[in-house]
Amino acid sequence: DVKVTQSSRYLVKRTGEKVFLECVQDMDHENMFWYRQDPGLGLRLIYFSYDVKMKEKGDIPEGYSVSREKKERFSLILESASTNQTSMYLCASSPPDVSGNTIYFGEGSWLTVV
Amino acid sequence: AQSVTQLDSQVPVFEEAPVELRCNYSSSVSVYLFWYVQYPNQGLQLLLKYLSGSTLVKGINGFEAEFNKSQTSFHLRKPSVHISDTAEYFCAVSRVGTGGFKTIFGAGTRLFVKA
């Protein structure tokens, strides 16, 4: 069974803390994504990666960075967490031609910044 | 650029009634179309997708959707819903032939099935 695993389901962090959200996929997919989900806004793409050490900005990259040192692992980093980054974060992966292929999602990480 | 509009933010319906969740998109080029479902406290999973061919697409759990190019719509339907269909449903669009790194998602429609 295909699997995208997000290591932390629920996190509470303080303003200004550095936050790491980790994601691992076991499908040998080239593409990996980080989305943010907010009520009424749907999913918004933060960053994506199409290969190891390669990354591209999505629609809302400000305040975030990513790291992809291994094919199966894609990390989202909040350099200095702020309250407006309280949200649900979804990691996903897909085969190379994501247009016609399914995107596989993890279960999400709920982040609260206080 | 593409965009996706889900016309209803919430849809309440009684069990065993039919339901339609509406989705319109805009794009100047050919696109692929998707519906994803998110059950409470879970990630999204694919319900169905339209790539080419027959405009009526059947998915999991008895759902189907019809691609209407002239109306730029991709509405999701089920003839008889169950309590277990309570979830959030997302319509998504992806440009054909781009490598598709950016799939655009709608804002979501919450389906509430009442007993």
Side-chain angles (χ1 to χ4, degrees):
Chain A
D1 200 13
V2 297
K3 195 81 173 173
V4 177
T5 303
Q6 295 182 232
S7 57
S8 302
R9 290 299 309 277
Y10 303 95
L11 305 93
V12 180
K13 298 292 182 180
R14 294 193 179 277
T15 300
E17 274 194 79
K18 191 169 185 175
V19 181
F20 293 86
L21 299 180
E22 306 286 348
C23 174
V24 176
Q25 52 99 358
D26 65 0
M27 296 165 281
D28 201 35
H29 286 164
E30 279 75 6
N31 299 335
M32 295 190 75
F33 310 83
W34 275 105
Y35 290 92
R36 173 174 170 162
Q37 182 180 6
D38 298 289
L41 297 178
L43 276 68
R44 293 179 291 168
L45 183 65
I46 305 172
Y47 268 96
F48 65 90
S49 168
Y50 51 91
D51 202 352
V52 175
K53 296 190 186 294
M54 306 303 289
K55 60 186 179 184
E56 293 286 344
K57 293 180 180 179
D59 300 314
I60 52 164
E62 296 78 18
Y64 304 95
S65 63
V66 290
S67 173
R68 192 165 181 201
E69 297 297 318
K70 294 184 178 181
K71 188 176 185 180
E72 68 270 19
R73 189 177 297 271
F74 193 36
S75 302
L76 180 68
I77 303 154
L78 286 67
E79 296 290 342
S80 178
S82 64
T83 54
N84 63 11
Q85 292 178 309
T86 291
S87 187
M88 161 81 118
Y89 291 88
L90 288 164
C91 177
S93 72
S94 74
D97 180 10
V98 75
S99 292
N101 284 279
T102 300
I103 298 177
Y104 296 89
F105 287 87
E107 292 193 319
S109 296
W110 286 97
L111 173 66
T112 301
V113 182
V114 298
Chain B
Q2 310 100 269
S3 67
V4 179
T5 303
Q6 292 185 239
L7 298 163
D8 307 290
S9 59
Q10 297 186 58
V11 174
V13 64
F14 284 103
E15 193 174 19
E16 298 183 6
V19 69
E20 178 180 81
L21 306 183
R22 298 179 294 167
C23 173
N24 285 102
Y25 70 94
S26 66
S27 177
S28 57
V29 297
S30 296
V31 294
Y32 296 134
L33 296 158
F34 306 81
W35 276 98
Y36 285 85
V37 59
Q38 184 179 36
Y39 297 106
N41 297 318
Q42 295 185 26
L44 281 70
Q45 59 182 279
L46 182 73
L47 203 54
L48 50 80
K49 61 184 176 183
Y50 172 78
L51 304 182
S52 64
S54 172
T55 57
L56 183 64
V57 181
K58 294 189 183 297
I60 61 172
N61 300 337
F63 283 92
E64 63 182 31
E66 185 156 21
F67 170 55
N68 188 319
K69 189 174 182 179
S70 62
Q71 297 188 6
T72 60
S73 68
F74 191 54
H75 300 333
L76 181 70
R77 302 184 182 99
K78 186 170 182 178
S80 175
V81 295
H82 302 289
I83 297 287
S84 59
D85 292 323
T86 294
E88 190 158 20
Y89 293 80
F90 292 92
C91 183
V93 62
S94 182
R95 281 180 63 184
V96 174
T98 61
F101 294 116
K102 290 185 67 176
T103 296
I104 307 299
F105 289 85
T109 298
R110 288 190 178 274
L111 176 64
F112 296 99
V113 181
K114 301 177 286 186

